[in-house]
Amino acid sequence: MEKYTSSELANLYQIHPNTIRLYERLGYITPSKRSANNYRVFTKLHVLQVKICRCIFGYPFTNKTIRNAGNEVMWASSKQDFRTGKQNAKQYIQIIEQELDIATKTTSLLYGWANEVKPKQFLAGGDYLSRKEVAAYFNTTVESVRNWERNRLIYSVREGEKGERLYSSSDFNRISIIYMLIQAGFSIASIQRSLVTYENGYKNEIITALNHPKYEELTSVGDRWIYELTRLKQAAKAIPSIFEELMTL
């Protein structure tokens, strides 16, 4: 059986040996055995487990739901429960696909917003969603939606039969753009400035209001979101076959 030191295993993936130790400490790979001189000893098992980790880490625009699903994949791998891990990997891919669908729709809205084209509505004209339903759609928390309200990013003047806040199609479109900008790393304050700028008719100054040097155009935010999620999806699709290889060890 081929054996590896921490440095040798790290070199396979061009990462630091401390990263291997971190994966072990967090339970993402099976604990290594020790040699007579107390050095960590890794095997082919760990090579494949780290390969799974590298398919999951290093991608921006991941929300908490995606990260949690990725953790479940790695923890199953670490426990050598490879069948469960393969199932978790398929669920992980589905969650990424859901986020990619949101990204695609929101980017379409963003192009309309930036170019003053009437956007396609996410919801049917007479449909309304509650805070809880909005949070569920974006895989976020009800408290996050409340926080957007408190910071005056979104408004809702309509209430349901139980007095709960309800959001219309236009509200939902606005929330979609807010969610995307938050995923891109913009602060609540900069998003608020941008929305106020847009509402006051200064479309050409939206990106200046965001005060983010990485993006020359507002639409490039959405393009990069889709690009990074597509990369993540491609990496994730390799994970089930890694579990199949693990089953043969």
Side-chain angles (χ1 to χ4, degrees):
M1 179 184 293
E2 194 167 1
K3 297 180 180 180
Y4 305 83
T5 64
S6 297
S7 294
E8 289 170 338
L9 179 55
N11 286 338
L12 292 177
Y13 297 101
Q14 297 182 330
I15 56 179
H16 196 280
N18 285 343
T19 303
I20 300 296
R21 299 184 189 106
L22 177 64
Y23 290 168
E24 187 175 1
R25 187 165 67 249
L26 294 175
Y28 294 152
I29 63 176
T30 301
S32 59
K33 294 183 179 180
R34 296 278 180 161
S35 64
N37 54 7
N38 205 34
Y39 285 111
R40 288 179 172 86
V41 177
F42 298 96
T43 65
K44 179 68 172 178
L45 169 70
H46 299 98
V47 171
L48 294 175
Q49 288 175 336
V50 173
K51 189 175 183 180
I52 289 173
C53 293
R54 300 314 297 167
C55 288
I56 292 172
F57 288 123
Y59 297 90
F61 294 89
T62 57
N63 60 26
K64 185 177 180 180
T65 303
I66 292 176
R67 291 193 295 272
N68 287 345
N71 285 340
E72 292 297 331
V73 172
M74 293 182 290
W75 287 331
S77 169
S78 175
K79 295 173 184 175
Q80 301 184 52
D81 186 356
F82 302 138
R83 294 190 183 280
T84 298
K86 187 176 178 181
Q87 292 173 350
N88 290 348
K90 291 178 179 179
Q91 293 173 356
Y92 176 60
I93 293 168
Q94 289 175 350
I95 291 170
I96 295 169
E97 288 174 339
Q98 290 170 4
E99 183 77 352
L100 188 54
D101 182 60
I102 292 172
T104 302
K105 290 178 179 177
T106 304
T107 299
S108 176
L109 290 176
L110 198 60
Y111 271 99
W113 192 38
N115 295 292
E116 296 183 336
V117 176
K118 185 176 180 180
K120 182 179 179 180
Q121 301 294 322
F122 268 45
L123 305 176
D127 289 347
Y128 290 87
L129 293 182
S130 66
R131 273 197 199 116
K132 185 176 181 180
E133 289 170 327
V134 168
Y137 184 88
F138 292 105
N139 287 318
T140 189
T141 63
V142 172
E143 184 56 32
S144 292
V145 179
R146 285 199 187 96
N147 188 46
W148 300 342
E149 291 174 356
R150 283 194 292 266
N151 284 281
R152 304 178 73 180
L153 296 181
I154 56 176
Y155 309 93
S156 175
V157 296
R158 188 178 181 88
E159 294 185 354
E161 294 179 358
K162 298 180 181 179
E164 73 274 23
R165 296 283 186 179
L166 295 177
Y167 300 94
S168 66
S169 293
S170 58
D171 296 329
F172 197 75
N173 286 354
R174 183 185 178 97
I175 292 169
S176 301
I177 291 172
I178 291 166
Y179 173 78
M180 186 202 69
L181 293 174
I182 289 172
Q183 289 297 95
F186 293 102
S187 68
I188 294 292
S190 65
I191 295 171
Q192 186 183 50
R193 281 197 307 271
S194 182
L195 291 172
V196 170
T197 298
Y198 176 75
E199 289 164 352
N200 287 337
Y202 299 102
K203 179 177 72 71
N204 294 332
E205 297 179 21
I206 293 172
I207 198 65
T208 304
L210 283 169
N211 192 27
H212 202 298
K214 184 184 293 185
Y215 303 105
E216 295 179 359
E217 297 180 1
L218 188 60
T219 51
S220 68
V221 181
D223 292 338
R224 183 161 181 263
W225 189 19
I226 292 174
Y227 170 74
E228 294 294 352
L229 285 172
T230 300
R231 287 180 62 233
L232 177 60
K233 178 183 173 181
Q234 288 303 116
K237 287 172 71 174
I239 296 175
S241 63
I242 300 173
F243 275 110
E244 290 176 3
E245 190 173 354
L246 282 164
M247 292 177 194
T248 66
L249 296 181

